[in-house]
Amino acid sequence: MKLSYTLFSLLIMACIGGHAHADVSSGTKYRLSGAVSGYLSDTGGKCYIAITDSSRYYSDGYHLIDDKQMCQLARSIYMLRGKISAVAEVRYDMDTNRITDLEVTRGGTPYWPPYHGGNNVAHYALIGQVNGYLLIAKNSSCYVSIKGNAAMSNGYHEVKDHALCVVLLGAYLEGAVVTTSAEKSWPGYPNLVTSAELSESPKVHWPPYGKK
């Protein structure tokens, strides 16, 4: 009888929200995508967000984010009433499940290497709008794609410098055109962004000064 009751309970859980709920073990991951419907700030660099998702089971339920960069991204998207995609993991021993990845995209579909276009040079530039911005919990890097002018457009690139990540997040949120310098990485790994410039003016230049 006890076994039958346990199986019945699992079947009920699987049907909640009209959605097959197969998250029966701690650490199981699932996806959420939609508008940020709630943002709760906490001490120590933690926050909690809720996402309105079509799956309904986890929709609008608060999830933990224990990464400052990810909290900043989630807060910005909430303020702008935008949409976000997340990967979360089940934590049966805690009050809430946890967000492990956050991604925002627009105007194209960013993808991972291998890149669609060939480029044999070690250094190159990408010019255009940031159309993909991805953060992974406890990873100091961010990942961006540029919908731009070159074969590497829409391909995710790694940004290891936090200050550059801040600039590129701002460019994404504002829809600004950015000029990035990039360099090749190891085969199969994302190439690296080494600088980012915000300027649409043809007048800016390096010294010597006095140019017209």
Side-chain angles (χ1 to χ4, degrees), residues 46-88:
K46 296 188 299 181
C47 67
Y48 298 83
I49 68 166
I51 297 173
T52 300
D53 182 80
S54 60
S55 69
R56 296 197 304 169
Y57 187 86
Y58 293 108
S59 185
D60 299 315
Y62 271 116
H63 288 66
L64 169 69
I65 296 178
D66 54 1
D67 182 280
K68 289 184 178 180
Q69 283 195 94
M70 293 173 70
C71 285
Q72 292 171 355
L73 173 58
R75 185 175 66 249
S76 298
I77 298 302
Y78 174 79
M79 298 296 291
L80 293 172
R81 301 296 187 264
K83 292 186 177 181
I84 201 164
S85 296
V87 175

mmCIF file of all heavy atoms in Angstrom, residues 46-88:
data_model
loop_
_atom_site.group_PDB
_atom_site.id
_atom_site.type_symbol
_atom_site.label_atom_id
_atom_site.label_comp_id
_atom_site.label_asym_id
_atom_site.label_seq_id
_atom_site.Cartn_x
_atom_site.Cartn_y
_atom_site.Cartn_z
ATOM 1 N N LYS A 46 23.187 38.218 -3.159
ATOM 2 C CA LYS A 46 22.157 37.287 -3.621
ATOM 3 C C LYS A 46 20.895 38.041 -4.012
ATOM 4 O O LYS A 46 20.632 39.138 -3.544
ATOM 5 C CB LYS A 46 21.821 36.269 -2.537
ATOM 6 C CG LYS A 46 22.949 35.339 -2.157
ATOM 7 C CD LYS A 46 22.462 34.244 -1.230
ATOM 8 C CE LYS A 46 21.904 34.802 0.069
ATOM 9 N NZ LYS A 46 21.458 33.729 0.979
ATOM 10 N N CYS A 47 20.102 37.437 -4.882
ATOM 11 C CA CYS A 47 18.793 37.972 -5.204
ATOM 12 C C CYS A 47 17.896 36.801 -5.580
ATOM 13 O O CYS A 47 18.356 35.663 -5.719
ATOM 14 C CB CYS A 47 18.861 39.008 -6.329
ATOM 15 S SG CYS A 47 19.344 38.322 -7.934
ATOM 16 N N TYR A 48 16.623 37.073 -5.729
ATOM 17 C CA TYR A 48 15.655 36.065 -6.150
ATOM 18 C C TYR A 48 14.822 36.656 -7.277
ATOM 19 O O TYR A 48 14.411 37.814 -7.210
ATOM 20 C CB TYR A 48 14.739 35.662 -4.995
ATOM 21 C CG TYR A 48 15.472 35.042 -3.830
ATOM 22 C CD1 TYR A 48 16.089 35.837 -2.868
ATOM 23 C CD2 TYR A 48 15.558 33.659 -3.700
ATOM 24 C CE1 TYR A 48 16.769 35.273 -1.798
ATOM 25 C CE2 TYR A 48 16.238 33.071 -2.633
ATOM 26 C CZ TYR A 48 16.845 33.896 -1.679
ATOM 27 O OH TYR A 48 17.516 33.324 -0.627
ATOM 28 N N ILE A 49 14.590 35.873 -8.328
ATOM 29 C CA ILE A 49 13.747 36.355 -9.423
ATOM 30 C C ILE A 49 12.668 35.333 -9.741
ATOM 31 O O ILE A 49 12.836 34.133 -9.503
ATOM 32 C CB ILE A 49 14.559 36.669 -10.701
ATOM 33 C CG1 ILE A 49 15.124 35.392 -11.334
ATOM 34 C CG2 ILE A 49 15.640 37.685 -10.439
ATOM 35 C CD1 ILE A 49 15.641 35.594 -12.751
ATOM 36 N N ALA A 50 11.558 35.848 -10.251
ATOM 37 C CA ALA A 50 10.482 35.007 -10.751
ATOM 38 C C ALA A 50 10.290 35.320 -12.224
ATOM 39 O O ALA A 50 10.390 36.477 -12.639
ATOM 40 C CB ALA A 50 9.191 35.270 -9.971
ATOM 41 N N ILE A 51 10.039 34.291 -13.011
ATOM 42 C CA ILE A 51 9.869 34.429 -14.465
ATOM 43 C C ILE A 51 8.521 33.836 -14.861
ATOM 44 O O ILE A 51 8.182 32.721 -14.450
ATOM 45 C CB ILE A 51 11.002 33.710 -15.219
ATOM 46 C CG1 ILE A 51 12.348 34.356 -14.897
ATOM 47 C CG2 ILE A 51 10.756 33.741 -16.732
ATOM 48 C CD1 ILE A 51 13.548 33.608 -15.467
ATOM 49 N N THR A 52 7.764 34.598 -15.630
ATOM 50 C CA THR A 52 6.493 34.082 -16.146
ATOM 51 C C THR A 52 6.783 33.193 -17.339
ATOM 52 O O THR A 52 7.171 33.663 -18.404
ATOM 53 C CB THR A 52 5.561 35.231 -16.556
ATOM 54 O OG1 THR A 52 5.305 36.053 -15.413
ATOM 55 C CG2 THR A 52 4.234 34.688 -17.082
ATOM 56 N N ASP A 53 6.621 31.896 -17.139
ATOM 57 C CA ASP A 53 7.001 30.900 -18.147
ATOM 58 C C ASP A 53 5.766 30.107 -18.583
ATOM 59 O O ASP A 53 4.852 29.856 -17.792
ATOM 60 C CB ASP A 53 8.056 29.954 -17.559
ATOM 61 C CG ASP A 53 8.533 28.919 -18.561
ATOM 62 O OD1 ASP A 53 9.378 29.263 -19.396
ATOM 63 O OD2 ASP A 53 8.037 27.786 -18.508
ATOM 64 N N SER A 54 5.751 29.690 -19.835
ATOM 65 C CA SER A 54 4.590 28.991 -20.386
ATOM 66 C C SER A 54 4.394 27.601 -19.783
ATOM 67 O O SER A 54 3.320 27.009 -19.899
ATOM 68 C CB SER A 54 4.718 28.873 -21.906
ATOM 69 O OG SER A 54 5.892 28.153 -22.251
ATOM 70 N N SER A 55 5.425 27.059 -19.145
ATOM 71 C CA SER A 55 5.308 25.718 -18.576
ATOM 72 C C SER A 55 4.352 25.680 -17.391
ATOM 73 O O SER A 55 3.841 24.628 -17.036
ATOM 74 C CB SER A 55 6.683 25.214 -18.130
ATOM 75 O OG SER A 55 7.133 25.956 -17.014
ATOM 76 N N ARG A 56 4.156 26.806 -16.728
ATOM 77 C CA ARG A 56 3.236 26.990 -15.607
ATOM 78 C C ARG A 56 3.717 26.382 -14.300
ATOM 79 O O ARG A 56 3.433 26.928 -13.237
ATOM 80 C CB ARG A 56 1.834 26.456 -15.927
ATOM 81 C CG ARG A 56 1.156 27.191 -17.058
ATOM 82 C CD ARG A 56 -0.335 26.922 -17.074
ATOM 83 N NE ARG A 56 -0.637 25.508 -17.150
ATOM 84 C CZ ARG A 56 -1.859 25.002 -16.971
ATOM 85 N NH1 ARG A 56 -2.867 25.800 -16.709
ATOM 86 N NH2 ARG A 56 -2.061 23.710 -17.063
ATOM 87 N N TYR A 57 4.414 25.251 -14.325
ATOM 88 C CA TYR A 57 4.782 24.607 -13.060
ATOM 89 C C TYR A 57 5.687 25.514 -12.226
ATOM 90 O O TYR A 57 5.455 25.716 -11.041
ATOM 91 C CB TYR A 57 5.463 23.260 -13.310
ATOM 92 C CG TYR A 57 5.688 22.501 -12.029
ATOM 93 C CD1 TYR A 57 4.697 21.687 -11.512
ATOM 94 C CD2 TYR A 57 6.883 22.630 -11.326
ATOM 95 C CE1 TYR A 57 4.884 21.015 -10.322
ATOM 96 C CE2 TYR A 57 7.076 21.963 -10.145
ATOM 97 C CZ TYR A 57 6.073 21.157 -9.633
ATOM 98 O OH TYR A 57 6.269 20.492 -8.451
ATOM 99 N N TYR A 58 6.724 26.060 -12.859
ATOM 100 C CA TYR A 58 7.647 26.951 -12.147
ATOM 101 C C TYR A 58 7.344 28.426 -12.410
ATOM 102 O O TYR A 58 8.043 29.309 -11.900
ATOM 103 C CB TYR A 58 9.086 26.659 -12.574
ATOM 104 C CG TYR A 58 9.588 25.302 -12.143
ATOM 105 C CD1 TYR A 58 9.762 24.279 -13.072
ATOM 106 C CD2 TYR A 58 9.880 25.036 -10.813
ATOM 107 C CE1 TYR A 58 10.218 23.028 -12.683
ATOM 108 C CE2 TYR A 58 10.333 23.789 -10.415
ATOM 109 C CZ TYR A 58 10.508 22.784 -11.349
ATOM 110 O OH TYR A 58 10.958 21.560 -10.949
ATOM 111 N N SER A 59 6.347 28.706 -13.206
ATOM 112 C CA SER A 59 6.047 30.080 -13.603
ATOM 113 C C SER A 59 5.765 30.964 -12.391
ATOM 114 O O SER A 59 4.989 30.589 -11.498
ATOM 115 C CB SER A 59 4.836 30.086 -14.547
ATOM 116 O OG SER A 59 4.601 31.380 -15.042
ATOM 117 N N ASP A 60 6.422 32.127 -12.359
ATOM 118 C CA ASP A 60 6.247 33.141 -11.315
ATOM 119 C C ASP A 60 6.714 32.683 -9.938
ATOM 120 O O ASP A 60 6.408 33.329 -8.934
ATOM 121 C CB ASP A 60 4.785 33.608 -11.241
ATOM 122 C CG ASP A 60 4.327 34.244 -12.544
ATOM 123 O OD1 ASP A 60 5.079 35.052 -13.100
ATOM 124 O OD2 ASP A 60 3.215 33.931 -13.015
ATOM 125 N N GLY A 61 7.431 31.579 -9.890
ATOM 126 C CA GLY A 61 7.986 31.117 -8.613
ATOM 127 C C GLY A 61 9.396 31.660 -8.421
ATOM 128 O O GLY A 61 10.223 31.616 -9.348
ATOM 129 N N TYR A 62 9.675 32.174 -7.253
ATOM 130 C CA TYR A 62 11.001 32.748 -6.999
ATOM 131 C C TYR A 62 12.100 31.687 -7.043
ATOM 132 O O TYR A 62 11.926 30.568 -6.553
ATOM 133 C CB TYR A 62 11.034 33.454 -5.646
ATOM 134 C CG TYR A 62 10.628 34.911 -5.729
ATOM 135 C CD1 TYR A 62 9.482 35.366 -5.091
ATOM 136 C CD2 TYR A 62 11.383 35.816 -6.445
ATOM 137 C CE1 TYR A 62 9.105 36.704 -5.171
ATOM 138 C CE2 TYR A 62 11.029 37.154 -6.536
ATOM 139 C CZ TYR A 62 9.881 37.588 -5.892
ATOM 140 O OH TYR A 62 9.516 38.903 -5.982
ATOM 141 N N HIS A 63 13.221 32.063 -7.662
ATOM 142 C CA HIS A 63 14.419 31.241 -7.756
ATOM 143 C C HIS A 63 15.611 32.050 -7.246
ATOM 144 O O HIS A 63 15.679 33.256 -7.457
ATOM 145 C CB HIS A 63 14.690 30.835 -9.214
ATOM 146 C CG HIS A 63 13.742 29.823 -9.761
ATOM 147 N ND1 HIS A 63 12.397 30.087 -9.967
ATOM 148 C CD2 HIS A 63 13.945 28.529 -10.178
ATOM 149 C CE1 HIS A 63 11.822 29.013 -10.477
ATOM 150 N NE2 HIS A 63 12.732 28.053 -10.616
ATOM 151 N N LEU A 64 16.542 31.359 -6.606
ATOM 152 C CA LEU A 64 17.745 32.008 -6.082
ATOM 153 C C LEU A 64 18.748 32.294 -7.190
ATOM 154 O O LEU A 64 18.961 31.472 -8.077
ATOM 155 C CB LEU A 64 18.411 31.108 -5.039
ATOM 156 C CG LEU A 64 19.826 31.509 -4.587
ATOM 157 C CD1 LEU A 64 19.795 32.806 -3.775
ATOM 158 C CD2 LEU A 64 20.478 30.383 -3.785
ATOM 159 N N ILE A 65 19.388 33.487 -7.119
ATOM 160 C CA ILE A 65 20.583 33.803 -7.909
ATOM 161 C C ILE A 65 21.661 34.225 -6.920
ATOM 162 O O ILE A 65 21.498 35.205 -6.193
ATOM 163 C CB ILE A 65 20.339 34.939 -8.916
ATOM 164 C CG1 ILE A 65 19.292 34.529 -9.953
ATOM 165 C CG2 ILE A 65 21.637 35.323 -9.619
ATOM 166 C CD1 ILE A 65 18.972 35.617 -10.952
ATOM 167 N N ASP A 66 22.758 33.488 -6.869
ATOM 168 C CA ASP A 66 23.834 33.817 -5.935
ATOM 169 C C ASP A 66 25.064 34.325 -6.686
ATOM 170 O O ASP A 66 26.200 33.939 -6.401
ATOM 171 C CB ASP A 66 24.186 32.617 -5.049
ATOM 172 C CG ASP A 66 24.502 31.360 -5.840
ATOM 173 O OD1 ASP A 66 24.461 31.421 -7.087
ATOM 174 O OD2 ASP A 66 24.795 30.324 -5.222
ATOM 175 N N ASP A 67 24.829 35.206 -7.648
ATOM 176 C CA ASP A 67 25.895 35.775 -8.471
ATOM 177 C C ASP A 67 25.546 37.239 -8.739
ATOM 178 O O ASP A 67 24.460 37.541 -9.250
ATOM 179 C CB ASP A 67 26.009 34.992 -9.784
ATOM 180 C CG ASP A 67 27.141 35.491 -10.670
ATOM 181 O OD1 ASP A 67 26.939 36.507 -11.360
ATOM 182 O OD2 ASP A 67 28.203 34.866 -10.667
ATOM 183 N N LYS A 68 26.452 38.162 -8.383
ATOM 184 C CA LYS A 68 26.151 39.598 -8.474
ATOM 185 C C LYS A 68 25.891 40.048 -9.904
ATOM 186 O O LYS A 68 24.984 40.841 -10.156
ATOM 187 C CB LYS A 68 27.305 40.407 -7.872
ATOM 188 C CG LYS A 68 27.409 40.314 -6.363
ATOM 189 C CD LYS A 68 28.523 41.211 -5.826
ATOM 190 C CE LYS A 68 28.592 41.138 -4.316
ATOM 191 N NZ LYS A 68 29.680 42.009 -3.772
ATOM 192 N N GLN A 69 26.707 39.574 -10.853
ATOM 193 C CA GLN A 69 26.502 39.969 -12.251
ATOM 194 C C GLN A 69 25.126 39.544 -12.755
ATOM 195 O O GLN A 69 24.434 40.297 -13.450
ATOM 196 C CB GLN A 69 27.580 39.347 -13.155
ATOM 197 C CG GLN A 69 28.940 40.004 -13.104
ATOM 198 C CD GLN A 69 29.793 39.563 -14.284
ATOM 199 O OE1 GLN A 69 29.844 40.213 -15.313
ATOM 200 N NE2 GLN A 69 30.462 38.428 -14.128
ATOM 201 N N MET A 70 24.738 38.335 -12.399
ATOM 202 C CA MET A 70 23.446 37.838 -12.845
ATOM 203 C C MET A 70 22.299 38.608 -12.203
ATOM 204 O O MET A 70 21.265 38.857 -12.833
ATOM 205 C CB MET A 70 23.342 36.340 -12.560
ATOM 206 C CG MET A 70 24.292 35.502 -13.394
ATOM 207 S SD MET A 70 24.322 33.750 -12.939
ATOM 208 C CE MET A 70 22.709 33.231 -13.490
ATOM 209 N N CYS A 71 22.467 39.009 -10.942
ATOM 210 C CA CYS A 71 21.454 39.835 -10.286
ATOM 211 C C CYS A 71 21.306 41.175 -11.007
ATOM 212 O O CYS A 71 20.190 41.673 -11.207
ATOM 213 C CB CYS A 71 21.802 40.063 -8.824
ATOM 214 S SG CYS A 71 21.528 38.627 -7.747
ATOM 215 N N GLN A 72 22.429 41.781 -11.404
ATOM 216 C CA GLN A 72 22.382 43.058 -12.128
ATOM 217 C C GLN A 72 21.656 42.909 -13.456
ATOM 218 O O GLN A 72 20.847 43.763 -13.839
ATOM 219 C CB GLN A 72 23.808 43.577 -12.356
ATOM 220 C CG GLN A 72 24.524 44.003 -11.088
ATOM 221 C CD GLN A 72 25.991 44.292 -11.314
ATOM 222 O OE1 GLN A 72 26.526 44.092 -12.407
ATOM 223 N NE2 GLN A 72 26.680 44.762 -10.281
ATOM 224 N N LEU A 73 21.925 41.818 -14.171
ATOM 225 C CA LEU A 73 21.259 41.580 -15.442
ATOM 226 C C LEU A 73 19.759 41.385 -15.235
ATOM 227 O O LEU A 73 18.935 41.986 -15.937
ATOM 228 C CB LEU A 73 21.860 40.341 -16.118
ATOM 229 C CG LEU A 73 21.167 39.853 -17.394
ATOM 230 C CD1 LEU A 73 21.131 40.938 -18.456
ATOM 231 C CD2 LEU A 73 21.852 38.605 -17.928
ATOM 232 N N ALA A 74 19.386 40.559 -14.269
ATOM 233 C CA ALA A 74 17.969 40.299 -14.016
ATOM 234 C C ALA A 74 17.232 41.571 -13.614
ATOM 235 O O ALA A 74 16.105 41.819 -14.059
ATOM 236 C CB ALA A 74 17.822 39.233 -12.926
ATOM 237 N N ARG A 75 17.856 42.385 -12.775
ATOM 238 C CA ARG A 75 17.229 43.642 -12.343
ATOM 239 C C ARG A 75 17.023 44.582 -13.527
ATOM 240 O O ARG A 75 15.971 45.213 -13.659
ATOM 241 C CB ARG A 75 18.074 44.326 -11.275
ATOM 242 C CG ARG A 75 17.434 45.580 -10.696
ATOM 243 C CD ARG A 75 18.238 46.160 -9.554
ATOM 244 N NE ARG A 75 19.523 46.670 -9.972
ATOM 245 C CZ ARG A 75 20.691 46.145 -9.655
ATOM 246 N NH1 ARG A 75 20.753 45.055 -8.908
ATOM 247 N NH2 ARG A 75 21.822 46.674 -10.082
ATOM 248 N N SER A 76 18.027 44.666 -14.398
ATOM 249 C CA SER A 76 17.921 45.541 -15.568
ATOM 250 C C SER A 76 16.773 45.099 -16.478
ATOM 251 O O SER A 76 16.005 45.924 -16.974
ATOM 252 C CB SER A 76 19.235 45.543 -16.351
ATOM 253 O OG SER A 76 20.294 46.058 -15.569
ATOM 254 N N ILE A 77 16.679 43.793 -16.706
ATOM 255 C CA ILE A 77 15.616 43.280 -17.573
ATOM 256 C C ILE A 77 14.249 43.504 -16.940
ATOM 257 O O ILE A 77 13.272 43.828 -17.626
ATOM 258 C CB ILE A 77 15.840 41.789 -17.883
ATOM 259 C CG1 ILE A 77 17.164 41.602 -18.648
ATOM 260 C CG2 ILE A 77 14.681 41.215 -18.683
ATOM 261 C CD1 ILE A 77 17.254 42.376 -19.941
ATOM 262 N N TYR A 78 14.162 43.363 -15.622
ATOM 263 C CA TYR A 78 12.888 43.640 -14.948
ATOM 264 C C TYR A 78 12.480 45.099 -15.135
ATOM 265 O O TYR A 78 11.325 45.399 -15.460
ATOM 266 C CB TYR A 78 12.981 43.318 -13.464
ATOM 267 C CG TYR A 78 11.730 43.738 -12.717
ATOM 268 C CD1 TYR A 78 10.579 42.951 -12.754
ATOM 269 C CD2 TYR A 78 11.686 44.940 -12.014
ATOM 270 C CE1 TYR A 78 9.419 43.344 -12.112
ATOM 271 C CE2 TYR A 78 10.525 45.342 -11.368
ATOM 272 C CZ TYR A 78 9.398 44.542 -11.416
ATOM 273 O OH TYR A 78 8.244 44.942 -10.791
ATOM 274 N N MET A 79 13.442 46.018 -14.944
ATOM 275 C CA MET A 79 13.152 47.446 -15.050
ATOM 276 C C MET A 79 12.708 47.813 -16.466
ATOM 277 O O MET A 79 11.870 48.701 -16.660
ATOM 278 C CB MET A 79 14.369 48.271 -14.649
ATOM 279 C CG MET A 79 14.809 48.068 -13.203
ATOM 280 S SD MET A 79 13.574 48.616 -12.006
ATOM 281 C CE MET A 79 13.662 50.397 -12.258
ATOM 282 N N LEU A 80 13.263 47.127 -17.459
ATOM 283 C CA LEU A 80 12.935 47.427 -18.854
ATOM 284 C C LEU A 80 11.754 46.608 -19.373
ATOM 285 O O LEU A 80 11.384 46.733 -20.548
ATOM 286 C CB LEU A 80 14.163 47.178 -19.736
ATOM 287 C CG LEU A 80 15.348 48.123 -19.497
ATOM 288 C CD1 LEU A 80 16.553 47.658 -20.285
ATOM 289 C CD2 LEU A 80 14.984 49.554 -19.874
ATOM 290 N N ARG A 81 11.180 45.770 -18.508
ATOM 291 C CA ARG A 81 10.047 44.925 -18.888
ATOM 292 C C ARG A 81 10.388 44.025 -20.082
ATOM 293 O O ARG A 81 9.569 43.784 -20.964
ATOM 294 C CB ARG A 81 8.814 45.774 -19.201
ATOM 295 C CG ARG A 81 8.347 46.640 -18.034
ATOM 296 C CD ARG A 81 7.896 45.769 -16.869
ATOM 297 N NE ARG A 81 7.286 46.562 -15.807
ATOM 298 C CZ ARG A 81 7.920 47.006 -14.716
ATOM 299 N NH1 ARG A 81 9.218 46.732 -14.569
ATOM 300 N NH2 ARG A 81 7.290 47.687 -13.789
ATOM 301 N N GLY A 82 11.623 43.548 -20.084
ATOM 302 C CA GLY A 82 12.055 42.675 -21.161
ATOM 303 C C GLY A 82 11.865 41.206 -20.819
ATOM 304 O O GLY A 82 11.325 40.855 -19.771
ATOM 305 N N LYS A 83 12.318 40.346 -21.725
ATOM 306 C CA LYS A 83 12.224 38.907 -21.523
ATOM 307 C C LYS A 83 13.618 38.321 -21.344
ATOM 308 O O LYS A 83 14.606 38.859 -21.851
ATOM 309 C CB LYS A 83 11.512 38.238 -22.703
ATOM 310 C CG LYS A 83 10.033 38.596 -22.786
ATOM 311 C CD LYS A 83 9.348 37.803 -23.878
ATOM 312 C CE LYS A 83 7.856 38.105 -23.909
ATOM 313 N NZ LYS A 83 7.162 37.317 -24.961
ATOM 314 N N ILE A 84 13.672 37.210 -20.645
ATOM 315 C CA ILE A 84 14.945 36.592 -20.320
ATOM 316 C C ILE A 84 14.783 35.079 -20.379
ATOM 317 O O ILE A 84 13.683 34.556 -20.219
ATOM 318 C CB ILE A 84 15.403 37.046 -18.906
ATOM 319 C CG1 ILE A 84 16.904 36.858 -18.715
ATOM 320 C CG2 ILE A 84 14.614 36.335 -17.809
ATOM 321 C CD1 ILE A 84 17.444 37.625 -17.520
ATOM 322 N N SER A 85 15.881 34.376 -20.649
ATOM 323 C CA SER A 85 15.899 32.919 -20.625
ATOM 324 C C SER A 85 16.829 32.466 -19.506
ATOM 325 O O SER A 85 17.874 33.078 -19.274
ATOM 326 C CB SER A 85 16.384 32.348 -21.965
ATOM 327 O OG SER A 85 15.492 32.682 -23.002
ATOM 328 N N ALA A 86 16.450 31.408 -18.823
ATOM 329 C CA ALA A 86 17.232 30.940 -17.693
ATOM 330 C C ALA A 86 17.315 29.423 -17.691
ATOM 331 O O ALA A 86 16.419 28.733 -18.185
ATOM 332 C CB ALA A 86 16.622 31.429 -16.382
ATOM 333 N N VAL A 87 18.409 28.930 -17.126
ATOM 334 C CA VAL A 87 18.527 27.515 -16.790
ATOM 335 C C VAL A 87 18.536 27.447 -15.265
ATOM 336 O O VAL A 87 19.284 28.183 -14.603
ATOM 337 C CB VAL A 87 19.814 26.893 -17.358
ATOM 338 C CG1 VAL A 87 19.962 25.444 -16.888
ATOM 339 C CG2 VAL A 87 19.810 26.960 -18.879
ATOM 340 N N ALA A 88 17.691 26.602 -14.706
ATOM 341 C CA ALA A 88 17.601 26.461 -13.253
ATOM 342 C C ALA A 88 17.832 25.009 -12.865
ATOM 343 O O ALA A 88 17.722 24.101 -13.696
ATOM 344 C CB ALA A 88 16.230 26.931 -12.764
#
